[in-house]
Amino acid sequence: MIPQKLDEGSDTYGLLAYLYGPGRRDEHTNPHMVAAWDPYIDDPARSPDMTLSDLTLLLDAPVFAMRGKKPSLHIYHVAVRNDADDRILSDEEWAEVAREMMHAAGLAKHGDDEGCRWVAVRHADDHIHIVATKAREDGRQPRLRQDIVKMQAAARAFEVKFDLRRLQNGDKTAGRWRKSGELEKAERRGLSEAPRETLQRTVREAAATATSDADFFERLAASGVRVRQRVAPDGNLTGYSVALPGDRNPDQEPIYFSGARLAPDLSLPRVRERWSGTVPALRVSPAEAWQVAEQKVRAAAEALGAGGLRQGAGDVAALGDLIVVAAIVSPRLVRIQIRDAAREYERASRAPGDRALEGESRRLSRESAQALSQATAAVGRNDAVAVLGFLLALVQAVEAARRWHDAQEHRAQATASGRAGRLLREAAEVTVGVHAARGYRPRPKRGPVRPADGQRLAAAPSERPMAGVVQEAIPQLAQVVLADSAWPTLRDRLAEIAGGGEDPVDVLATVAGQRDLSSAESVAEVLTWRLDGWSKHRGAAGAASGASPSSASGGGAGKSAGPVRKAAASKRRPPGDEQRKGPKRTR
């Protein structure tokens, strides 16, 4: 449960109209009041005797009655949100939460009849909005001191009482919340993410691969972002800020973000920590880079956290940079999963407290990252076996980081490590599927057999029951797979393969035989990931063969066939272009 203090304001009616309205994208459902300072206040959504204007006047009455200077921004607004995996609370439970939050904040203490007026509005299953006016009914202003900290403590108690996901009080390692205005602006511009997120990823990639201040800023400039350095009067570099081209404020000035505003570990002092120690230069051929990186990651996993709390904090930070570098140089078919894992692990890389920068695991992670940076030339080869070994070693290291965070009771970081590990396991199994598809040689198809009298023809591959496919391909695991909660997804993948004209029994047996499945928590899920890799490789190979010129169709090597040239030449003209054509020539 997360209480989030939102911007203060002065337009009570406008805020209520938004909370009770359809939302910006019709996301509000059944807006209604769950609690108020007075239990006998009618809900505008459910009573014809109360309107939003009436409720606004009641809330603002103590503000208008104040003597002396009134607060310019008298609206106190907080949202209390549950995790997506939490159970849905009832209106009565949310009402209890709202009353306790107002008590903890100091706006309306239990038993205080002269506290501030407030209402709690619910328009979604997972959160409520509490709107209060910062004026007590006795004419005084409330004392708001450490209000959000006290509300967070109340939220921890409710997590235990209502059996919700247990969170940890802020340790100043979390990233900044994405503001709704940034998201709406990105949507208007047709961007897939807010500029702050793009800049954060770009700066993190530059920091993970850089070896000095000059190298860091050169990589930022090469990535296409605007860079502005902050230099002290004595000539020392003290900070930096970045802006995304095209992202401007109403005055048409670039919107710059300092490194600390992007993430706690992207300030200039924290970025410099990455190259504070010397890492011996590795001379590794691109073909051997993945194997060298794998060996060092396995050693780093064994040494992670062995030197104590401060050294462990430095170890998990270096591991985060390694995952970022791996996402940059990884094969295209698994790049999305590794990039998502790097984003999930970001919180795990920031442990509260001081860090030691000379740990053995940290040194090995940095050497592994350096080896991977030399593997860029080998990405086109897509050495699936070498990449698989590295990914399995990386899963081992992330699991070691999760255990270390658990031991230190860093619940948020341990959870982030678990999510990142799951994504890396998916990438590893997709790689297994890619490797299986490369060496796959389909069995020759048997011709149609005429059935004897009273017998039916065998079903086509796309019509076969997928449960029978599993029983025929992996009989020793069939019972476990069919009882797995991930079986419906696996069944769909098998149906897609059958629909593509391939034998699902042969394919499933091939991917299942690549690596042992006895240690998998969900065999059906692992097989689904492997089939995803299979399909990705087969689809990429099919697209490449379809796009390559065919020498057998005439014209020789490197030349397209006649029909292809004709199709390329007959391009559709834009609307209105017919008027610009010249007169037809006559013989």
Side-chain angles (χ1 to χ4, degrees):
M1 180 176 289
I2 302 176
Q4 182 189 7
K5 192 175 179 180
L6 303 177
D7 294 338
E8 299 177 341
S10 58
D11 184 5
T12 306
Y13 179 85
L15 178 55
L16 291 176
Y18 167 73
L19 296 178
Y20 275 95
R24 293 185 175 90
R25 290 174 292 275
D26 296 327
E27 69 273 20
H28 296 175
T29 57
N30 188 25
H32 60 280
M33 183 190 301
V34 295
W37 81 97
D38 185 341
Y40 299 103
I41 293 295
D42 290 331
D43 183 2
R46 298 177 175 178
S47 174
D49 299 327
M50 178 68 71
T51 65
L52 291 181
S53 297
D54 296 334
L55 184 58
T56 300
L57 290 174
L58 289 173
L59 285 170
D60 287 344
V63 179
F64 298 139
M66 291 180 68
R67 294 181 179 180
K69 186 177 181 181
K70 298 178 176 57
S72 57
L73 301 175
H74 66 271
I75 298 176
Y76 186 93
H77 183 196
V78 61
V80 187
R81 186 181 301 274
N82 280 346
D83 187 76
D85 295 331
D86 285 337
R87 69 177 180 87
I88 298 175
L89 301 185
S90 65
D91 283 353
E92 291 74 17
E93 289 171 324
W94 276 122
E96 183 181 352
V97 170
R99 286 190 290 267
E100 191 61 37
M101 291 297 170
M102 290 293 94
H103 169 78
L107 288 160
K109 295 279 188 179
H110 296 324
D112 184 2
D113 295 332
E114 295 184 336
C116 298
R117 297 184 174 186
W118 59 272
V119 295
V121 180
R122 181 181 188 182
H123 53 213
D125 289 336
D126 61 349
H127 72 277
I128 59 171
H129 289 260
I130 307 175
V131 179
T133 48
K134 294 189 296 182
R136 293 172 50 85
E137 295 197 32
D138 58 8
R140 296 183 292 120
Q141 293 190 32
R143 291 189 61 185
L144 299 175
R145 189 171 184 178
Q146 297 291 314
D147 52 338
I148 191 65
V149 175
K150 295 174 182 176
M151 283 191 287
Q152 286 175 346
R156 302 293 83 79
F158 278 118
E159 289 165 2
V160 176
K161 182 176 182 178
F162 293 151
D163 192 23
L164 306 175
R165 177 186 172 191
R166 299 284 299 278
L167 301 179
Q168 194 173 25
N169 285 335
D171 56 10
K172 298 183 179 180
T173 63
R176 289 181 174 268
W177 284 64
R178 296 178 298 174
K179 296 183 178 180
S180 58
E182 293 178 337
L183 298 176
E184 293 169 4
K185 182 179 179 181
E187 184 177 347
R188 290 195 303 270
R189 292 180 57 194
L191 303 177
S192 59
E193 60 185 2
R196 184 200 298 266
E197 296 178 72
T198 304
L199 290 171
Q200 184 195 60
R201 186 179 65 254
T202 303
V203 173
R204 189 173 299 282
E205 290 177 354
T209 53
T211 57
S212 64
D213 285 6
D215 188 23
F216 173 61
F217 289 112
E218 286 177 3
R219 290 177 184 274
L220 283 181
S223 67
V225 302
R226 300 175 184 269
V227 183
R228 189 167 61 185
Q229 300 182 18
R230 186 170 65 249
V231 181
D234 60 359
N236 290 325
L237 180 64
T238 60
Y240 73 98
S241 56
V242 290
L244 197 65
D247 186 28
R248 298 178 177 273
N249 61 18
D251 296 329
Q252 295 304 305
E253 298 172 341
I255 300 177
Y256 279 91
F257 294 88
S258 65
R261 285 184 63 195
L262 294 176
D265 59 335
L266 293 182
S267 64
L268 185 59
R270 292 293 303 274
V271 166
R272 281 172 167 166
E273 288 180 356
R274 291 164 164 86
W275 51 81
S276 59
T278 58
V279 176
L282 296 177
R283 298 186 179 277
V284 181
S285 66
E288 299 173 343
W290 291 103
Q291 291 89 342
V292 172
E294 176 190 348
Q295 297 169 4
K296 293 186 177 296
V297 172
R298 292 192 185 279
E302 295 178 0
L304 192 147
L309 181 60
R310 294 180 66 250
Q311 196 172 100
D315 294 344
V316 295
L319 181 58
D321 286 340
L322 173 60
I323 302 175
V324 170
V325 175
I328 297 173
V329 303
S330 59
R332 179 181 54 82
L333 295 178
V334 293
R335 192 170 300 160
I336 293 177
Q337 286 91 345
I338 302 178
R339 182 176 291 174
D340 290 344
R343 186 180 65 251
E344 291 290 354
Y345 187 82
E346 177 193 330
R347 179 71 184 273
S349 67
R350 296 192 293 266
D354 296 332
R355 296 159 304 283
L357 308 178
E358 63 279 354
E360 176 68 11
S361 179
R362 178 182 176 86
R363 180 185 64 80
L364 289 167
S365 292
R366 293 183 63 192
E367 290 179 359
S368 178
Q370 187 182 95
L372 281 188
S373 65
Q374 302 178 34
T376 307
V379 169
R381 298 180 59 213
N382 277 342
D383 191 347
V385 176
V387 174
L388 174 61
F390 170 78
L391 288 176
L392 293 175
L394 202 55
V395 169
Q396 179 183 346
V398 171
E399 178 60 22
R402 187 194 64 78
R403 291 195 301 267
W404 182 83
H405 281 303
D406 267 338
Q408 312 306 323
E409 297 186 355
H410 301 156
R411 284 197 291 269
Q413 286 84 350
T415 302
S417 299
R419 291 196 297 264
R422 173 182 169 80
L423 286 165
L424 290 172
R425 284 193 294 272
E426 179 182 352
E429 298 300 343
V430 168
T431 306
V432 172
V434 171
H435 178 62
R438 282 210 186 112
Y440 176 67
R441 294 295 180 269
R443 291 180 297 183
K445 296 182 179 180
R446 289 173 294 181
V449 179
R450 184 175 180 179
D453 295 338
Q455 295 182 351
R456 294 182 301 174
L457 280 170
S462 59
E463 300 173 354
R464 300 172 70 174
M466 294 301 119
V469 168
V470 173
Q471 291 169 346
E472 185 177 350
I474 45 175
Q476 70 281 9
L477 296 172
Q479 186 175 0
V480 175
V481 170
L482 296 177
D484 199 314
S485 60
W487 159 241
T489 306
L490 175 60
R491 180 183 58 207
D492 294 341
R493 295 295 187 279
L494 291 171
E496 292 172 3
I497 289 174
E502 296 186 276
D503 185 355
V505 173
D506 198 10
V507 172
L508 183 60
T510 301
V511 298
Q514 294 296 305
R515 286 185 68 243
D516 182 45
L517 291 164
S518 59
S519 61
E521 295 180 3
S522 171
V523 177
E525 188 173 49
V526 169
L527 290 173
T528 301
W529 290 337
R530 293 184 184 181
L531 291 178
D532 286 342
W534 173 287
S535 300
K536 285 182 179 181
H537 175 75
R538 305 287 280 188
S545 62
S548 60
S550 174
S551 58
S553 57
K559 294 183 180 181
S560 300
V564 176
R565 290 199 304 269
K566 181 178 180 180
S570 58
K571 295 181 179 179
R572 180 177 296 179
R573 293 178 177 271
D577 194 48
E578 291 79 0
Q579 285 77 11
R580 294 194 292 268
K581 293 190 297 184
K584 294 181 179 180
R585 293 184 295 175
T586 57
R587 295 185 182 272

